């Protein structure tokens, strides 16, 4: 009798182990990658679990969400902020705010995430890709004018890896000169400053992300900001027209908080992540779905953030400066590593303070293709943002975007919050 029970338990445990190991293989977690969700702590887990135990009717009150908007706007030094369920959905709000129409064209750096061009395609807008520079991986100002056509209405100015892009003010001045509106992609550089003002406040509108690999973490989430009354009004109109994310989604997303915490962050995760996988693993959310990779608009696309996620955002905002200061410290370690190993360090443009979400380095192409050397050297897998012009979707190399091609082949990035 006792032995039967024992066998059953052992069997159950073996099956769970198998499930966990298959999961890790599918999601490539078999190589240590404990560098995402590093800003999650016990307090975030508690908030998520409290909301999971609260009736869903309380999830859709506006109060906490509005508190989040005010807190982010104040922290960011912006007039107003509006929250969405992702950065890409916040970008769609920016597109609406600037009144970009089907048939218009926008200039986008040829080294970005597929969800950026997708947001424009979903609105019927043409995307013109422009080459980048290799100092900060921002748009190359010398290539910009050649990309402007009579259809061009706006440009996306992207700050990558936590840095401020090269020629920041000059690009905005050039855009103004040609009558182009400026959307700032601040998803990597939330909190970085230029002349003591946070980036995002120089363009017409800007968007931010709290996806789990970004600066602060609500698993998924985003914000759009503006300082100009006409765009704020349009952002508000757009925001008010959207539904909240539904309770099934929110529940899943909340379950991802303990799941990520115990999988990536918790100090004795090697034991706990088996348990977390069993308890929460079925709710695992991927940020970019297959249909988005194929350029199709998900049915749920365009959602307001609900109170539980805003609560997580509020809590993360309390810690964002602390974690960014830790990132900045680790970046000095990577700078030393670069000097020792004869790699160029990225450029910090004058008057800027980067926060170094990741530390980008150009390595030999074979070293990006096969990262075994780095896993041996660091005991973690470095990041590969980006592996194509529109990561992670493979496209033909854009022949007039030589620097972007170089970055795709050679740029790896080292994490700046590490749990070894
Ligand atoms: C992650 C990312 C986005 C989109 O943010 P989500 O919150 O994931 O939608 C946009 N631009 C860049 C450069 C990104 O890396």
């Amino acid at each position: 009798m006792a032995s039967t029970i024992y066998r059953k338990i052992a069997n159950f445990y073996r099956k769970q182990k198998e499930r966990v190991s298959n999961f890790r293989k599918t999601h490539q977690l078999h190589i240590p990658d404990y560098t995402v969700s590093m800003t999650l702590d016990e307090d975030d887990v508690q908030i998520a679990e409290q909301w999971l135990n609260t009736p869903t009717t309380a999830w859709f009150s506006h109060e906490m969400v509005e508190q989040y908007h005010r807190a982010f706007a104040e922290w960011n030094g912006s007039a107003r902020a509006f929250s969405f369920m992702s950065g890409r959905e916040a970008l769609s709000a920016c597109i609406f705010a600037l009144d970009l129409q089907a048939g218009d064209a926008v200039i986008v750096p040829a080294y970005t995430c597929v969800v950026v061009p997708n947001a424009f395609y979903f609105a019927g807008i043409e995307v013109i890709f422009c080459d980048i520079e290799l100092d900060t991986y921002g748009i190359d100002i010398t290539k910009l004018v050649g990309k402007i056509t009579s259809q061009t209405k706006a440009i996306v100015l992207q700050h990558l890896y936590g840095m401020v892009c090269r020629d920041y003010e000059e690009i905005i001045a050039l855009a103004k000169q040609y009558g182009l509106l400026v959307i700032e992609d601040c998803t990597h550089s939330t909190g970085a400053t230029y002349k003591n003002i946070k980036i995002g406040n120089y363009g017409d509108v800007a968007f931010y992300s709290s996806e789990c690999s970004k600066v602060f973490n609500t698993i998924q989430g985003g914000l759009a900001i503006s300082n100009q009354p006409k765009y704020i009004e349009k952002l508000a109109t757009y925001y008010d027209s959207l539904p909240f994310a539904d309770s099934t989604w929110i529940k899943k997303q909340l379950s991802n908080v303990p799941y990520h915490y115990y999988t990536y962050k918790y100090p004795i995760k090697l034991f706990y992540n088996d348990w977390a996988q069993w308890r929460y693993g079925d709710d695992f959310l991927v940020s970019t779905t297959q249909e988005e990779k194929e350029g199709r608009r998900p049915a749920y696309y365009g959602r307001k953030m609900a109170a539980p996620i805003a609560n997580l955002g509020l809590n993360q905002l309390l810690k964002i400066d602390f974690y960014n200061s830790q990132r900045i410290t680790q970046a000095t370690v990577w700078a030393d590593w670069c000097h020792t190993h004869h790699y160029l360090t990225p450029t910090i443009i004058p008057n800027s303070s980067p926060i170094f979400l990741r530390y980008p380095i150009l390595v030999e192409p074979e070293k990006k293709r096969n990262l075994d050397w780095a896993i041996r050297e660091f005991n973690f897998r470095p990041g590969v943002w980006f592996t194509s012009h529109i990561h992670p979707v493979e496209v033909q190399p854009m022949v007039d975007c030589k620097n972007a091609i170089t970055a795709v082949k050679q740029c790896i990035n080292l994490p700046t919050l590490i749990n070894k």
Side-chain angles (χ1 to χ4, degrees):
M1 173 69 187
S3 72
T4 314
I5 290 169
Y6 174 76
R7 238 195 340 269
K8 275 193 175 152
I9 292 171
N11 234 342
F12 174 78
Y13 190 70
R14 189 180 48 75
K15 277 202 185 127
Q16 287 310 325
K17 274 284 218 216
E18 232 171 68
R19 221 178 108 208
V20 170
S21 120
N22 286 339
F23 175 87
R24 291 220 179 101
K25 272 186 204 131
T26 329
H27 295 282
Q28 302 205 334
L29 291 175
H30 49 296
I31 294 168
D33 183 18
Y34 302 127
T35 64
V36 299
S37 282
M38 286 297 119
T39 68
L40 290 181
D41 299 289
E42 289 284 355
D43 53 358
D44 302 291
V45 173
Q46 268 167 24
I47 289 169
E49 281 175 349
Q50 265 164 23
W51 282 104
L52 283 168
N53 292 320
T54 306
T56 58
T57 46
W59 291 6
F60 304 103
S61 89
H62 288 270
E63 216 169 79
M64 182 143 309
V65 182
E66 277 161 16
Q67 198 186 329
Y68 181 45
H69 294 178
R70 284 193 300 272
F72 187 82
E74 190 183 329
W75 175 82
N76 204 49
S78 310
R80 289 282 296 277
F82 299 88
S83 63
F84 302 89
M85 287 302 275
S86 63
R88 63 204 74 174
E89 288 162 277
L91 169 57
S92 288
C94 294
I95 293 169
F96 180 89
L98 298 185
D99 207 21
L100 302 180
Q101 301 288 333
D104 289 344
V106 293
I107 296 173
V108 170
Y111 186 65
T112 190
C113 182
V114 67
V115 301
V116 173
N118 273 359
F120 293 103
Y121 296 146
F122 295 163
I125 295 162
E126 189 196 341
V127 172
I128 301 166
F129 289 100
C130 181
D131 203 7
I132 59 163
E133 34 81 13
L134 294 172
D135 292 338
T136 69
Y137 308 91
I139 223 158
D140 182 346
I141 191 166
T142 67
K143 305 285 167 56
L144 199 52
V145 174
K147 291 288 180 178
I148 302 172
T149 69
S150 57
Q151 264 73 49
T152 316
K153 295 285 157 41
I155 124 169
V156 173
L157 195 157
Q158 189 172 261
H159 307 277
L160 287 185
Y161 306 115
M163 301 187 295
V164 180
C165 72
R166 207 189 70 189
D167 308 313
Y168 187 17
E169 280 188 306
E170 292 80 356
I171 291 170
I172 292 177
L174 196 63
K176 295 291 135 187
Q177 192 189 326
Y178 284 86
L180 306 182
L181 299 166
V182 176
I183 303 173
E184 289 190 62
D185 181 338
C186 304
T187 54
H188 284 205
S189 297
T190 313
T193 63
Y194 181 72
K195 295 186 173 167
N196 293 319
I197 294 171
K198 291 209 169 83
I199 53 130
N201 290 302
Y202 287 86
D204 294 298
V205 289
F207 66 102
Y208 300 79
S209 170
S210 54
E211 193 260 353
C212 58
S213 61
K214 304 295 165 73
V215 181
F216 65 129
N217 186 349
T218 61
I219 303 298
Q220 295 187 6
L223 293 132
I225 66 107
S226 183
N227 292 302
Q228 299 181 46
K230 59 182 170 183
Y231 302 137
I232 291 171
E233 202 177 303
K234 293 272 285 181
L235 282 175
T237 306
Y238 183 81
Y239 178 83
D240 289 337
S241 75
L242 298 182
F244 281 116
D246 66 60
S247 55
T248 313
W249 185 288
I250 297 163
K251 180 175 173 291
K252 249 190 183 189
Q253 191 161 328
L254 288 171
S255 298
N256 272 253
V257 176
Y259 179 56
H260 279 228
Y261 176 70
Y262 290 115
T263 302
Y264 303 120
K265 178 74 181 283
Y266 194 63
I268 50 170
K269 56 195 173 299
L270 285 182
F271 168 72
Y272 268 94
N273 68 7
D274 280 2
W275 169 81
Q277 171 57 29
W278 170 75
R279 173 82 173 73
Y280 300 107
D282 287 343
D283 287 334
F284 185 70
L285 279 179
V286 293
S287 37
T288 302
T289 59
Q290 189 54 35
E291 64 179 339
E292 286 178 281
K293 288 179 192 166
E294 289 165 12
R296 285 179 288 123
R297 185 181 187 278
Y300 54 75
Y301 192 95
R303 298 154 301 165
K304 294 193 288 200
M305 192 180 268
I309 313 301
N311 195 355
L312 288 168
L314 275 165
N315 199 53
Q316 284 282 302
L317 267 188
L318 298 175
K319 303 185 279 191
I320 190 169
D321 292 329
F322 166 75
Y323 280 119
N324 278 349
S325 72
Q326 293 213 324
R327 289 182 166 112
I328 291 162
T329 306
Q330 180 62 33
T332 65
V333 175
W334 294 140
D336 288 345
W337 187 90
C338 285
H339 294 138
T340 314
H341 292 80
H342 310 290
Y343 287 113
L344 288 177
T345 54
T347 300
I348 299 174
I349 69 164
N351 301 309
S352 80
S353 296
I355 54 97
F356 286 111
L357 171 65
R358 318 276 304 188
Y359 197 85
I361 312 174
L362 286 175
V363 296
E364 298 77 356
E366 59 277 14
K367 285 196 156 181
K368 181 161 182 173
R369 270 198 303 271
N370 185 344
L371 293 168
D372 289 351
W373 67 275
I375 294 162
R376 276 194 306 275
E377 169 117 11
F378 304 120
N379 195 31
F380 57 73
R381 178 208 287 275
V384 290
W385 288 340
F386 296 119
T387 56
S388 105
H389 293 296
I390 50 168
H391 185 89
V393 177
E394 277 191 44
V395 288
Q396 287 300 314
M398 300 176 185
V399 287
D400 62 341
C401 298
K402 292 261 179 326
N403 288 335
I405 292 173
T406 300
V408 162
K409 285 191 187 141
Q410 296 186 233
C411 184
I412 63 162
N413 56 80
L414 302 174
T416 48
L417 292 176
I418 307 155
N419 195 6
K420 286 188 193 170

